[in-house]
Structure formats: C-alpha cells, structure tokens
Amino acid sequence: MANKSVFATIAGKLLPLAAAKNHEGARAYRLTPHQALAQLAATGTFNATFYAEPREQFDEVLKLAWQVEPEFLARTAVHAFEQGYMKDMPALLLAILSCMQGDEFNRAFGRIVRNGKMLRNFVQVMRSGATGRKSLGSRPKRLVQAWLEQAADFEIMRAAVGNDPSLADVIKMVHPKPKSASREALYGYLLGKPHDIAALPNVVKAFEAFKRDPSLPVPDVPFQMLTSMPLSREHWVQIAETAGWQMLRQNLNTFARNGVFEVEGFAEKLAARLRDPQEIRRARVFPYQLMVAFTMAGAEVPGEVRDALQDAMEIALGNVPRIKGNVVVCPDVSGSMSSPATGYRKGSTSAVRCIDVAALVAAAMLRRNPTAKVLPFENDVVDIRLNARDTVMTNAAKLAAIGGGGTNCSAPLARLVREKADVDLVVFVSDNQSWVDASAHAHQGTATMQEWRKLKALNPKAKLVCIDIQPYTTTQAEPEVDILNVGGFSDRVFDVIGTMLSSNADPDHWVRTIEAVEL
C-alpha cells in the first residue's frame, strides 16, 4: 500500500501548514503579529498560567508591540481597557507607546488613564524600566501632571489608596503645580508636609473629623480608608448605601458579618441596586465576577440578594446573540482548564478557573439559544444533560463540575462528523493547547482543521468561533473566511460573535474590530 504520509489526499493537501507548536509541543498555527497582540491584550494578566510564566507573556507582548503600527498598538490598548476590562495590559501597551514617535500615546492616554488606579499602574510600569526607561520622560510627565490637576478631590483621595507606587510617590515624581490653595493643601496633606488645614478640601476635613469623632456621619472617602476604624452597624449601613456597585458585589459577606442585612428593608434596597441595569453597565462587570459573588455569598447573605446576583448575570449577558440555525458549544473541561482564569499570583490568585469561564460561556449561549447542543470535551466528548430553562449559574456549575483529562479539541468536531450533524455555528471555549490528537506532520494540519473540513463538507455554510481564554499565541484552527479566533472572557466576545456571523466572512474580524476603535 502507498505511504499515506507521502501520498496525502487532496483534502489533506489543501489544509494550511501547521508549522508552529503549542506549549504541549503539538502542532498548531501561529497567529500573525496583529492577531497575536490582539489575543494577548484581551487575555494577558502577566500572572503564571498552566503553561506559561509571567515573563514569557511580557516578552511576547513587548516583541509583538514593536512589530505592529503605533496606531494599531494604541487602538489595542484602548480596546483592552474599554472592551476587555483589562488593567495591567493597557498600562504596559501605553508605556511602550510612550517610547514611540507620533501622537498615538497622547491620544490613547486619556482613554486609558481614567482613574487613580490606572494612573498608578502606568507609573509603576514606567518606573520599573520594563519598557526600556525608568524615568517618565517629558510627554508622560506632562500628561500625569494634567491628570492630577484635573481630577476631582474625591478621585485624588481614591487614588491615594495603594502603594508601589503610592500617589505620594507619583506627586514627588512629577511635581504638579497646584492651581488653587485647596489643591496645594491637599498635596501637602498627602505628602505629609506642612499645609494650610483651613484650605483642605471638605472631603479631607470630614475624614479627619470622623477619625477624631466616630459619632459623626461617615465621610465620602474610599471604603479601604475606613476599615481599620472601630465601625458600628450604623456606620456599615452608611458605607453600603454610598458604595459603588463593584464594592457592593465584592463585600456582601462583610456587610452580613457587620449586621447590615439586619436593618429592616436594607436587603431589598441593596438587591435593587445589584440588579439595576444602568449600574451593571456602568460597573463594567465581568460575568464571571458575578458568578464568583454568587458562589462565595455565605448563608448570612439573604436569598433576595443572591437572587439579585442571578438577575444581574442575565442582564450582563444580555448581548449573547440569538442565532438562527443549529448551534454547538464546546467548552474545554480538560485538566489544564482547572488553572485560575487570570493566572497564579501570590496572595491574590483568582478563585475563578478557566473551566468556570468556559462553562459560563456555554451556559449563557444555551440560555439564549435553547436548542443549542453542548459538547464538553477533554480526551473525548463528555456526555452531560443540561436544561436550557435552568439559570446560567445552575448550568455553569454543572459543567464546571466535570474537569480532568487531556485536551482534544478535535473530539467534538469528530463526533459531529460521525453523527452527520446539521450545524450552522460551532463555538469553542478553550486554552487551545490540544495535544491528545497531535499530528506528526505539519502538512497534515491539526486534527481540529482536519475534522472541521469534514464537517464543512457536510455543512458548507457553517462557521467556527474559537474563544481563547488564556494568553497564548497559537491556535488549533487557522483563521479563514469561516473561522474566527477571538480572545478574552468579558461579555464583549459575544458582540464579536454576533457581528462575525453577519459580516462578510473576514478571517481577521477580531483585528478589524480593534482597528475600528476611535482614538
């Protein structure tokens, strides 16, 4: 018999060459610099992942940033912050931009550095020397000065929470010139230098007065500045009433421990805020953050508040598309997906695993598309029964409870081929580090592409979307007119899926989405 590796079929020859290797050493497709940077910007947190160390991610981003145009780099930074809800990545990309010629840095700065946290993140990256310089430089210094002068007093106080660098460090670095006696006194107060107490902003005066006399009303300062004080239940109620939406979500157990829910009518009041659509959108919450809040809420948190978190989840996932035709969702439940979604970080590793995010995406797609088929996979497809009428939280918990085994991205496609399934859209949620189905020959492509071609022969109009939730630069499915690789785990990926389905078959649709960002 003829050697099959030499005399490949015509279909095999038409497969794109899988010349790269993933972190398991298996055949894969390398993304272009624009595609890879877009992927890393949407998923990279510079923490250790199952396969990669933080330095690897950083080196890859730095290399890619100098391979794309400054305009694209700026748009990617803005997109990562505004649509991907990232923090460290936009700060790094902004710092790299500051070393480049052109006005892209100036145009992107105001879009990204919108609060004290991002200001300190940016200064930290610059001061670290990671991008090649340890000083801010004249352009960044001017923009940091402008931010300090334009920020409201409360924003300055909020920025004063945190270190490395502290806001006082930033002020010392850039030497802002205060335009009012009040701002001059505030800088002196933050630096621990002599200042005119009478000229201090009202928010600082109220804070200092409360420190002396806790019987006074709780001042409107960041929550973290108050927790070291001996607070009564009444104080905690005041804090909860004025807290931001994200702070409410994160501190439900703290409020319960301090008796907030014992106050008549307060649970209902807080629940109404948690399910308020405008507040949810304004908070820019990750759907998985709501899942964490729901699962971590203790028995002392009232049922109405827990129900409000489920309502908030439904609202946060309101942009999950309803898709005409037959949908298949394939969440990766292999062993590598048990790693934290945002990577390992000493002292602050996320409780949410990659498998939780994959399960959440699958459950959300099923909720909006009740006839969808869900095929979780590891070494092979794992059979599971889900009820589309159950809440997103319930189905996500069922899927996330599977876990284990190797990664075989081609398994769901192979099953669909065997069943001669009628398919319009297949959505994968994975880290794309497939190895169980590894091919020894680059010209044969990956097993995923082999099975996809077979499925396409049965369903010529079918499309494939691969959502990558880890910061790697290879994929199992080469971008083509009917294949979209998209990175990230915010609800924005659903927008991209929806527009991709109605687009004119652009294999670089994810890159085009970033290029469409207005600067």
Side-chain angles (χ1 to χ4, degrees):
M1 180 179 288
N3 188 327
K4 291 184 179 180
S5 68
V6 176
F7 299 99
T9 65
I10 294 297
K13 286 184 178 180
L14 293 176
L15 284 172
L17 190 71
K21 291 191 176 182
N22 62 20
H23 284 275
E24 282 284 4
R27 291 287 175 189
Y29 300 102
R30 183 162 300 281
L31 300 172
T32 67
H34 290 77
Q35 293 167 343
L37 183 63
Q39 196 91 331
L40 287 169
T43 57
T45 57
F46 303 113
N47 297 328
T49 65
F50 189 87
Y51 292 106
E53 292 301 316
R55 186 71 204 186
E56 289 181 61
Q57 294 180 39
F58 171 79
D59 290 343
E60 193 70 41
V61 170
L62 196 61
K63 178 179 71 175
L64 291 167
W66 286 97
Q67 293 178 22
V68 302
E69 308 80 14
E71 185 85 10
F72 183 81
L73 182 61
R75 294 178 193 277
T76 302
V78 171
H79 188 274
F81 178 73
E82 293 185 346
Q83 307 298 328
Y85 306 158
M86 307 299 278
K87 298 179 181 66
D88 292 348
M89 181 64 73
L92 173 62
L93 299 183
L94 196 60
I96 298 172
L97 264 179
S98 73
C99 303
M100 297 180 173
Q101 298 291 328
D103 67 343
E104 288 81 8
F105 168 71
N106 295 39
R107 292 156 62 197
F109 186 92
R111 295 280 294 277
I112 295 170
V113 181
R114 295 187 185 178
N115 54 55
K117 169 66 175 172
M118 287 306 300
L119 181 80
R120 289 175 36 247
N121 276 6
F122 171 70
V123 173
Q124 179 186 19
V125 173
M126 292 293 292
R127 195 170 68 166
S128 71
T131 59
R133 57 195 294 182
K134 289 194 174 182
S135 62
L136 284 182
S138 57
R139 280 197 305 169
K141 184 177 178 180
R142 282 196 304 270
L143 292 176
V144 172
Q145 287 173 336
W147 188 93
L148 289 168
E149 284 307 301
Q150 294 166 9
D153 294 332
F154 176 79
E155 189 61 53
I156 293 289
M157 290 292 282
R158 183 163 20 181
V161 175
N163 296 297
D164 299 324
S166 67
L167 185 64
D169 293 332
V170 176
I171 293 171
K172 290 175 185 176
M173 289 178 69
V174 302
H175 305 291
K177 297 188 176 0
K179 296 180 180 179
S180 67
S182 175
R183 187 51 56 94
E184 183 177 9
L186 179 56
Y187 289 157
Y189 171 81
L190 293 171
L191 293 172
K193 292 184 176 182
H195 56 276
D196 183 356
I197 296 177
L200 282 171
N202 290 333
V203 63
V204 180
K205 291 178 180 177
F207 177 56
E208 290 298 317
F210 182 76
K211 286 163 64 176
R212 294 189 299 270
D213 182 5
S215 67
L216 294 171
V218 176
D220 188 17
V221 296
F223 162 67
Q224 297 91 332
M225 300 178 74
L226 301 169
T227 52
S228 63
M229 301 180 189
L231 301 174
S232 66
R233 184 177 70 179
E234 288 67 31
H235 289 143
W236 280 102
V237 169
Q238 291 180 57
I239 290 171
E241 285 179 331
T242 59
W245 193 94
Q246 288 279 30
M247 188 271 210
L248 284 181
R249 172 190 67 81
Q250 293 170 320
N251 291 279
L252 294 176
N253 291 331
T254 300
F255 293 144
R257 283 195 304 272
N258 288 280
V260 165
F261 297 120
E262 296 169 12
V263 176
E264 186 177 354
F266 195 78
E268 292 79 5
K269 186 176 181 178
L270 191 147
R273 284 196 61 196
L274 286 174
R275 60 166 61 95
D276 184 294
Q278 290 187 343
E279 290 219 43
I280 292 167
R281 283 190 287 270
R282 193 181 305 120
R284 306 193 329 148
V285 61
F286 276 122
Y288 82 82
Q289 291 174 324
L290 288 165
M291 183 168 64
V292 172
F294 180 78
T295 55
M296 298 297 288
E300 295 178 341
V301 176
E304 179 163 358
V305 175
R306 293 170 59 85
D307 290 343
L309 289 171
Q310 296 209 59
D311 294 339
M313 175 68 82
E314 301 288 341
I315 294 168
L317 294 171
N319 59 341
V320 177
R322 291 188 186 275
I323 299 163
K324 292 181 179 179
N326 298 309
V327 181
V328 181
V329 189
C330 309
D332 183 348
V333 295
S334 64
S336 63
M337 296 289 283
S338 64
S339 63
T342 54
Y344 298 96
R345 186 175 183 179
K346 188 176 180 180
S348 59
T349 296
S350 169
V352 179
R353 305 163 299 164
C354 293
I355 193 173
D356 296 316
V357 176
L360 179 60
V361 172
M365 290 292 289
L366 178 62
R367 179 74 168 171
R368 296 284 284 179
N369 301 275
T371 61
K373 181 181 294 187
V374 179
L375 299 179
F377 67 92
E378 40 167 84
N379 289 308
D380 203 344
V381 173
V382 179
D383 292 315
I384 187 172
R385 282 191 174 186
L386 300 175
N387 186 342
R389 293 187 177 184
D390 284 342
T391 66
V392 170
M393 300 283 199
T394 300
N395 281 330
K398 288 180 181 178
L399 286 165
I402 306 173
T407 308
N408 183 356
C409 290
S410 64
L413 298 174
R415 171 173 288 197
L416 293 171
V417 170
R418 287 196 302 272
E419 294 176 350
K420 293 183 171 54
D422 187 6
V423 174
D424 295 288
L425 174 68
V426 180
V427 179
F428 273 79
V429 195
S430 172
D431 60 12
N432 275 320
Q433 300 299 300
S434 192
W435 59 272
V436 172
D437 54 354
S439 169
H441 302 286
H443 73 271
Q444 292 178 347
T446 62
T448 298
M449 283 299 290
Q450 292 174 20
E451 297 299 332
W452 174 246
R453 286 292 175 85
K454 295 175 186 175
L455 189 60
K456 281 286 287 184
L458 298 170
N459 302 275
K461 294 184 178 179
K463 292 188 177 183
L464 173 65
V465 176
C466 300
I467 301 174
D468 195 331
I469 55 178
Q470 287 285 267
Y472 307 128
T473 57
T474 62
T475 181
Q476 290 296 296
E478 174 83 345
E480 293 184 345
V481 293
D482 53 11
I483 299 175
L484 171 67
N485 285 279
V486 57
F489 40 83
S490 82
D491 62 322
R492 298 296 180 177
V493 298
F494 297 117
D495 287 333
V496 178
I497 292 173
T499 53
M500 180 264 190
L501 292 173
S502 59
S503 69
N504 295 321
D506 182 358
D508 266 343
H509 183 79
W510 184 223
V511 172
R512 302 284 175 265
T513 300
I514 291 176
E515 289 177 336
V517 171
E518 294 281 347
L519 282 180

